[in-house]
Amino acid sequence: MKNKGKLLLTLFLITWAVFSIVLFVKQAPNYLVKSYFQSDTFQSTKESFIDQLGHYVLMPFDAEKAKETINVTQGEIEEYRYRYGSLTEQVESIQSQYRGRIMEAEESKDSTLKELLIEERDKKIADIKANFESDDYVKEKIRKQKEQLIDEYAAEQEKYKKSFLNEFSYFSYHFVNIDNGKKFESGTQQKSDLFTESYEDKNPLIVNNSVNINSYDNNVYSEVQDTIPEFQIDGESARYEGSFSIPKSMLSSSNLGTDYQYFNIAKITFIVIWVTGILAIVGLFTFARPKMDMFRESSNVKDAFLRLPIDVRIILIIVVSFISFGLMEYIGNSLINNIIYFNPINLITSSVEELIFLFIVFISVAAIIFGITWTWDSIKNEPKIEEQLKNAMLYRLADGLRDLFLNRSLGVQSVAILIIFFLAGIGFVGASYSVELLMIYILLLFFIGLPAGILFLRRIGYLNRIMRQTEDMARGRLTNDIKVKGKSPLAKHAANLNALREGVKKSMSEQAKSERLKTELITNVSHDLRTPLTSIITYTDLLKNPDLTDEQRKQYIDVLDKKSARLKTLIEDLFEVSKMASGNIEITKQKLDLTQLVQQAIGEHEEAFSLSNLELRILMPEEPLYAYVDGQKMWRVIDNLIVNTLKYSLEGTRVYVTLKQIESNIEFSVKNVSKYELNENVQELTERFKRADASRHTDGSGLGLAIAQSIVDLHNGRLTVEVDGDLFKVTVTIVGNS
């Protein structure tokens, strides 16, 4: 409780000190002077008196002299003459004005009215013709209009002179025209006067009586303003010496005394505030010395404040600072008004209002101090200030604008629509003040605002449809395409989502296929490994029989040897395919003759082809075909493809082995008639453990094409499988080197 009391006292002293400093800055120039007569208020009054004294008393406006100086320029004559058009246009205008009225007089048989109208019309036409015939005629008309304006101006000046003499009656003056000795006096001057200001020959009062007739400053409004907007009357300058003063007697008999008294009261009031402000500052350095820990206590308000972005916190502190300083200035001005316009009832109401505002200032200053302390601690103690800056509202706004313009067309359209809506709101307010603006607003709304609104609603509707169908895609419903409308960015987005949908469908299909092949792989691996392993276990048990004959033992050992070799080959092929699929295999390329390589591979299997009752047909060039390949790996490809034909070709058919060059590529193909029905997906034949012999009666591992495919991929080549009925063809294409 004691700490809270000290905190409130400290905050109050800080508030009062700041309040007194603000009032000092604003009011010290007006009240820290020797007397009322040095204040800005009186200086402004004095300047106004001197200006009007010269204008209304020392050198008053002389209408007759002004008329003598009237000058009419050729430009004014031409402007007056052609103001309503050319001669023919003005005559036609007059005739059209009177034509209807004359016809009405004729129809009513009023000959007298008709004659008067014709006479009036002809007089105006004659006046117009005279305007175009003589410059002197126009010049005289302009002169008379200027004389009329001068008379109106002189009458207004007389009114202002009376008002001036009444308003500044507390001034007494004594001036002499240095050039002609003419004197101007009002009242008497004494040494005891409250204020006196003198002008000497070396520093005279200079007055110029040049005027601008019909200017708005003089509040002269006349019918001739339409033809003579304004003109300058060049007057004379004169020098005066003398002085003006304010007698003591005027303090009690004029408004000056009241102003003088209120000034002194206000001065004392502000001095009291400033002195107490100094005492508050002293208190802050002594018994109420603030400590930063006083403002660091945890609270729900602090937690909520620190959750705001850092720039929002800073902006709030600045806004509250401006509000508090504005309220301080308002309170100071309100004090002056209460003193000047003293009214007991208003004083009570205003005092209550000032106390309320002062309490608001206290809350604002406290909020500023706490806000600055908490913000500074969060910056100083935060290990990663970059995170706070990235969470700032302005940073996120800039980031959002950057994302908005990732698609420039969509960004420009969005900004344009926002500007149109903003201007539409401003236009609605302006249209409520004027019928003309309302008509313009309706036209702009119909031709710009309405189309922009329709476009915006259509785009939002289209976006909602895209979002709904995207949600369906996320839930796995991939049946319907998103309709593509037009060529807008949203239409492009819809097209991209359709492409993504197709990709997802394909990916799901590939995933299903992969799952199926994985299941088949596990099944096939298990079967192909278990078959030789079972034979090995069985014949090993048979060998344990001591009653076996040598012939039987030899026969069993041959079976074990074959099954072990089969198991070894299967495992080696499986490891090799795995290494190739994972990319953990290196190839060493060198320039090799593929013609020779194919001949060697065929040569090793010629006897097998003869025993298999297959007719081998070889088509290859006699000249060498060179390519940069890994000889050992490429031998494996050729050998696997030839061995496949031996295993899966129909007996009594032909096998075609072809090697040829097509442009810069070398193409090797093997074509045969399959002994098994090829009803599987042809591309799956290159998968691991996939065999044309689905019943797995043959001795193959199902890895031949998979290994060949992997080796060809490592050489950046292409392996394709084609099936036409029972006709099976495998083609390997690699880049040649001539």
Side-chain angles (χ1 to χ4, degrees):
M1 192 71 181
K2 183 178 180 181
N3 292 334
K4 288 186 178 180
K6 184 177 180 181
L7 176 62
L8 291 174
L9 176 62
T10 302
L11 290 174
F12 174 75
L13 293 178
I14 292 174
T15 302
W16 191 257
V18 174
F19 174 62
S20 63
I21 291 172
V22 172
L23 289 188
F24 181 84
V25 173
K26 292 291 184 180
Q27 304 297 339
N30 295 326
Y31 293 95
L32 280 185
V33 290
K34 293 181 180 179
S35 68
Y36 164 76
F37 300 105
Q38 294 175 308
S39 66
D40 291 342
T41 303
F42 178 76
Q43 292 299 317
S44 177
T45 302
K46 182 193 71 173
E47 295 297 332
S48 178
F49 169 75
I50 289 294
D51 180 66
Q52 295 185 56
L53 178 68
H55 194 66
Y56 296 121
V57 177
L58 301 182
M59 292 190 72
F61 179 74
D62 190 334
E64 296 305 319
K65 283 188 177 182
K67 291 177 182 179
E68 294 175 2
T69 62
I70 291 176
N71 180 38
V72 180
T73 65
Q74 187 63 35
E76 291 176 323
I77 295 173
E78 294 296 325
E79 196 277 333
Y80 184 93
R81 178 178 289 157
Y82 289 99
R83 177 175 292 111
Y84 302 107
S86 63
L87 174 60
T88 56
E89 290 172 343
Q90 293 186 43
V91 171
E92 288 176 359
S93 177
I94 295 297
Q95 289 177 342
S96 64
Q97 292 176 20
Y98 283 88
R99 186 176 295 115
R101 297 171 64 188
I102 292 173
M103 289 178 64
E104 290 176 0
E106 287 179 348
E107 292 174 357
S108 62
K109 298 181 180 180
D110 191 342
S111 58
T112 303
L113 177 60
K114 178 181 177 181
E115 290 176 359
L116 289 173
L117 290 172
I118 292 173
E119 181 181 356
E120 184 178 327
R121 179 198 66 188
D122 294 342
K123 186 182 293 185
K124 289 185 177 181
I125 292 174
D127 180 65
I128 293 172
K129 290 180 178 179
N131 287 341
F132 282 86
E133 292 171 356
S134 172
D135 287 352
D136 292 336
Y137 183 76
V138 177
K139 188 174 183 178
E140 185 60 28
K141 291 172 70 174
I142 295 175
R143 180 181 294 277
K144 288 181 179 179
Q145 289 184 350
K146 288 188 175 183
E147 288 178 352
Q148 180 183 346
L149 289 177
I150 288 173
D151 291 335
E152 292 175 356
Y153 181 80
E156 289 290 329
Q157 294 302 297
E158 284 298 321
K159 296 178 183 179
Y160 291 143
K161 180 178 180 180
K162 293 178 182 179
S163 176
F164 159 72
L165 294 175
N166 181 59
E167 180 182 359
F168 295 99
S169 59
Y170 49 84
F171 278 100
S172 63
Y173 57 85
H174 175 83
F175 283 98
V176 178
N177 189 315
I178 296 175
D179 300 320
N180 57 26
K182 188 175 180 180
K183 296 183 178 180
F184 301 87
E185 294 180 338
S186 174
T188 59
Q189 294 183 336
Q190 301 177 4
K191 292 183 179 180
S192 60
D193 288 344
L194 293 172
F195 171 81
T196 301
E197 185 167 312
S198 301
Y199 292 87
E200 301 175 352
D201 188 16
K202 293 181 180 180
N203 185 27
L205 174 64
I206 300 175
V207 179
N208 186 290
N209 64 351
S210 297
V211 295
N212 188 28
I213 302 297
N214 200 33
S215 68
Y216 292 107
D217 293 338
N218 297 313
N219 295 324
V220 178
Y221 302 97
S222 174
E223 295 179 358
V224 298
Q225 279 187 349
D226 292 338
T227 55
I228 308 296
E230 60 181 326
F231 60 94
Q232 181 75 22
I233 296 294
D234 296 328
E236 301 174 347
S237 295
R239 298 177 302 144
Y240 295 85
E241 62 178 359
S243 62
F244 63 93
S245 60
I246 300 176
K248 278 186 177 181
S249 58
M250 290 298 174
L251 284 179
S252 59
S253 60
S254 67
N255 292 332
L256 180 69
T258 304
D259 292 342
Y260 181 82
Q261 180 181 1
Y262 288 159
F263 173 84
N264 289 328
I265 295 174
K267 181 178 181 178
I268 294 172
T269 302
F270 284 121
I271 289 175
V272 170
I273 293 174
W274 295 332
V275 170
T276 55
I278 294 173
L279 293 177
I281 294 173
V282 172
L284 291 172
F285 281 94
T286 54
F287 62 89
R289 189 182 186 91
K291 296 180 180 179
M292 295 304 294
D293 292 339
M294 298 170 60
F295 311 112
R296 289 175 173 152
E297 294 184 5
S298 299
S299 64
N300 294 332
V301 176
K302 179 180 179 180
D303 295 338
F305 180 77
L306 291 178
R307 281 196 295 269
L308 295 173
I310 186 170
D311 54 342
V312 173
R313 284 182 259 158
I314 294 173
I315 291 172
L316 282 176
I317 292 171
I318 294 173
V319 170
V320 173
S321 299
F322 276 109
I323 292 174
S324 60
F325 290 143
L327 287 175
M328 292 176 190
E329 186 176 355
Y330 172 81
I331 294 171
N333 294 332
S334 180
L335 286 173
I336 298 173
N337 292 333
N338 289 338
I339 294 170
I340 294 176
Y341 307 105
F342 179 77
N343 184 311
I345 297 177
N346 290 340
L347 179 62
I348 295 173
T349 304
S350 180
S351 298
V352 172
E353 183 181 272
E354 289 168 6
L355 288 175
I356 293 173
F357 283 142
L358 193 59
F359 178 73
I360 295 174
V361 170
F362 171 75
I363 299 298
S364 300
V365 171
I368 293 168
I369 294 172
F370 279 109
I372 293 175
T373 304
W374 294 341
T375 301
W376 172 251
D377 287 344
S378 69
I379 295 173
K380 183 178 64 175
N381 299 329
E382 183 67 32
K384 294 183 179 180
I385 186 64
E386 295 83 1
E387 293 183 5
Q388 287 201 53
L389 295 177
K390 287 182 179 179
N391 290 328
M393 182 181 66
L394 295 177
Y395 181 88
R396 285 184 287 177
L397 176 62
D399 193 50
L401 289 175
R402 183 183 60 190
D403 291 343
L404 177 64
F405 284 95
L406 288 176
N407 187 307
R408 185 174 299 177
S409 175
L410 186 61
V412 171
Q413 290 178 25
S414 301
V415 173
I417 289 175
L418 288 175
I419 291 174
I420 289 172
F421 286 166
F422 177 74
L423 294 178
I426 295 177
F428 179 77
V429 175
S432 62
Y433 289 95
S434 170
V435 177
E436 292 80 2
L437 290 176
L438 178 61
M439 297 303 297
I440 296 173
Y441 176 76
I442 292 174
L443 289 174
L444 293 176
L445 182 65
F446 184 77
F447 288 105
I448 297 178
L450 191 58
I454 293 173
L455 176 64
F456 175 74
L457 293 177
R458 289 184 62 186
R459 292 288 172 84
I460 292 298
Y462 189 32
L463 178 61
N464 286 335
R465 176 174 294 183
I466 292 173
M467 291 173 64
R468 183 173 180 179
Q469 291 189 266
T470 304
E471 185 177 351
D472 290 342
M473 289 173 57
R475 292 176 178 176
R477 295 194 287 269
L478 306 173
T479 54
N480 297 325
D481 279 349
I482 301 174
K483 190 174 182 180
V484 179
K485 295 182 178 179
K487 297 181 179 180
S488 67
L490 291 179
K492 293 180 181 178
H493 180 59
N496 292 334
L497 287 175
N498 287 334
L500 178 62
R501 184 185 67 86
E502 291 300 323
V504 171
K505 287 179 65 177
K506 185 176 180 181
S507 176
M508 292 176 66
S509 176
E510 292 292 334
Q511 185 178 1
K513 175 184 173 183
S514 177
E515 291 295 327
R516 178 171 57 83
L517 291 176
K518 186 187 296 182
T519 302
E520 292 182 4
L521 172 63
I522 294 172
T523 302
N524 294 335
V525 168
S526 300
H527 178 274
D528 289 343
L529 291 176
R530 185 172 61 247
T531 300
L533 186 59
T534 301
S535 298
I536 292 172
I537 294 172
T538 300
Y539 281 95
T540 302
D541 288 339
L542 290 174
L543 285 173
K544 294 178 181 179
N545 187 355
D547 298 330
L548 288 177
T549 63
D550 292 339
E551 184 65 26
Q552 287 177 326
R553 192 178 301 278
K554 181 179 180 183
Q555 184 181 357
Y556 292 166
I557 291 173
D558 288 341
V559 172
L560 286 174
D561 184 55
K562 290 180 181 179
K563 297 301 180 180
S564 299
R566 164 70 178 149
L567 187 59
K568 177 183 178 184
T569 301
L570 186 62
I571 293 174
E572 287 178 350
D573 287 349
L574 183 60
F575 281 149
E576 187 168 0
V577 140
S578 299
K579 286 195 295 182
M580 290 181 180
S582 62
N584 294 328
I585 190 170
E586 296 182 359
I587 59 174
T588 305
K589 292 183 179 182
Q590 57 184 344
K591 188 175 181 180
L592 291 177
D593 179 8
L594 294 183
T595 303
Q596 184 180 3
L597 198 64
V598 172
Q599 288 175 345
Q600 291 176 358
I602 293 173
E604 287 195 8
H605 298 287
E606 280 183 344
E607 184 179 352
F609 272 101
S610 299
L611 295 175
S612 299
N613 195 18
L614 295 174
E615 186 178 347
L616 185 62
R617 296 296 178 90
I618 303 171
L619 299 174
M620 64 176 65
E622 295 181 358
E623 65 274 5
L625 294 180
Y626 292 101
Y628 277 104
V629 295
D630 186 316
Q632 184 180 0
K633 299 293 189 298
M634 192 55 62
W635 165 269
R636 183 70 182 274
V637 172
I638 298 171
D639 186 69
N640 282 359
L641 296 181
I642 294 175
V643 169
N644 274 351
T645 61
L646 287 169
K647 292 178 181 178
Y648 301 111
S649 294
L650 183 64
E651 294 181 1
T653 60
R654 298 183 183 91
V655 176
Y656 293 87
V657 178
T658 304
L659 181 68
K660 60 183 177 179
Q661 183 163 0
I662 300 177
E663 296 180 354
S664 61
N665 295 328
I666 297 176
E667 185 178 282
F668 170 73
S669 64
V670 178
K671 183 167 58 174
N672 66 291
V673 177
S674 174
K675 70 168 69 172
Y676 304 101
E677 186 177 354
L678 299 173
N679 54 5
E680 296 286 344
N681 186 340
V682 67
Q683 297 301 326
E684 292 184 5
L685 293 175
T686 57
E687 298 290 342
R688 287 166 289 181
F689 288 96
K690 197 70 178 177
R691 294 160 62 174
D693 174 17
S695 61
R696 313 186 75 82
H697 292 152
T698 59
D699 198 26
S701 66
L703 297 174
L705 284 179
I707 293 173
Q709 176 75 68
S710 299
I711 294 173
V712 171
D713 290 341
L714 290 173
H715 285 82
N716 296 320
R718 184 173 70 255
L719 185 146
T720 58
V721 178
E722 301 175 50
V723 175
D724 185 4
D726 292 333
L727 185 64
F728 181 80
K729 181 181 179 181
V730 180
T731 304
V732 176
T733 305
I734 59 174
V735 178
N737 184 279
S738 56

